[in-house]
Amino acid sequence: MGMLTEEKSQIYDTLGVEWARVQLRESFEEVASLNPDLRIEQEPNGEFVFMSPTGGESSSRNAEITWQLSGWTKQFGGKCFDSSVVFCLPDGSRRSPDASWIAMNRWKELSSEDREKFPPICPDFVIELRSISDRLITLQAKMVSYIQNGVRLGWLIDPFLKQVHVYQPGISPEVLSNLETVSAGDVLPAFVLDLRAIWQPV
C-alpha cells in the first residue's frame, strides 16, 4: 500500500501543519498494523488522519503529563493511558489523546478481548498537548468532538501561549492563561496538574 502517494498535499501556515487526510479502502486495523510507526486517527466519515511525529520537547512534556496523571491514578484508581492508545468512539472515529483516564467501573464493563484491542469506549478525561506542528484550530475541533462523544472533561494544553483550554459538556470552552497548576475538579477529585514543567521543560 503506497501510503505516501495517497496523502493529500499538506497545508502549512504559521500556526502549524494541517494533518494529511485521505480515504483508503483498508480498515483502520489493517492500516495501523501495516504502519506501526505512524500516528494515525480516523474521522467518523472513514477519512484517515496522518499526523506529524512529535519532537523532543513535545515528547518530554507529554511524558511529564502522563507521569503526573499516572501517579494520581495509582492513588485514587481508574485506568490511565498514554498517547499510544487508540479509542473507538461512539461516532465511529478513532482517537489517540495524548493522555487520558477512564473510571474503573466503566473499564471493567469491557470484555478482556476489547481491552486488549482498540477499546470501544470514550474516556472520561482527555488531555491534548499542542506541539509545534499542530494547528490550534484543528485541536480545538478535536476537543469538541471528544465532548460530543461523552468525555466529561478535556484539557487542550498550549505550551507556546501558556494556555489551558478547558472543555466540559454543556459549557462553553474556557481559556486559562499563565497558570502554575490546573485542577480537574469533580471529574478527577484532587488531581492537580503542575504546569511549570510543561511551560519550561528542562
Side-chain angles (χ1 to χ4, degrees), residues 9-13 16-21 50 133 135 137-138:
S9 298
Q10 295 180 333
I11 304 170
Y12 293 82
D13 63 22
V17 182
E18 178 60 39
W19 298 331
R21 300 170 183 270
F50 297 90
S133 62
R135 297 182 68 192
I137 190 171
T138 303

Side-chain angles (χ1 to χ4, degrees), residues 6-47:
E6 295 276 357
E7 294 180 7
K8 292 180 179 178
S9 298
Q10 295 180 333
I11 304 170
Y12 293 82
D13 63 22
T14 57
L15 295 179
V17 182
E18 178 60 39
W19 298 331
R21 300 170 183 270
V22 298
Q23 292 280 357
L24 298 172
R25 293 188 298 271
E26 292 80 4
S27 69
F28 183 86
E29 289 75 14
E30 290 174 320
V31 174
S33 65
L34 290 171
N35 300 274
D37 296 329
L38 294 181
R39 296 177 63 216
I40 307 171
E41 294 187 342
Q42 192 171 33
E43 298 290 353
N45 65 0
E47 189 176 59

Side-chain angles (χ1 to χ4, degrees), residues 23-96:
Q23 292 280 357
L24 298 172
R25 293 188 298 271
E26 292 80 4
S27 69
F28 183 86
E29 289 75 14
E30 290 174 320
V31 174
S33 65
L34 290 171
N35 300 274
D37 296 329
L38 294 181
R39 296 177 63 216
I40 307 171
E41 294 187 342
Q42 192 171 33
E43 298 290 353
N45 65 0
E47 189 176 59
F48 286 83
V49 182
F50 297 90
M51 296 170 287
S52 302
T54 58
E57 290 289 14
S58 184
S59 178
S60 177
R61 292 184 182 104
N62 202 75
E64 172 68 24
I65 290 170
T66 304
W67 178 77
Q68 291 191 42
L69 180 58
S70 177
W72 180 92
T73 301
K74 289 178 181 178
Q75 183 176 0
F76 293 96
K79 293 289 288 187
C80 172
F81 304 87
D82 66 13
S83 59
S84 62
V85 71
V86 177
F87 293 109
C88 299
L89 301 186
D91 67 356
S93 62
R94 269 78 167 175
R95 301 294 186 197
S96 297

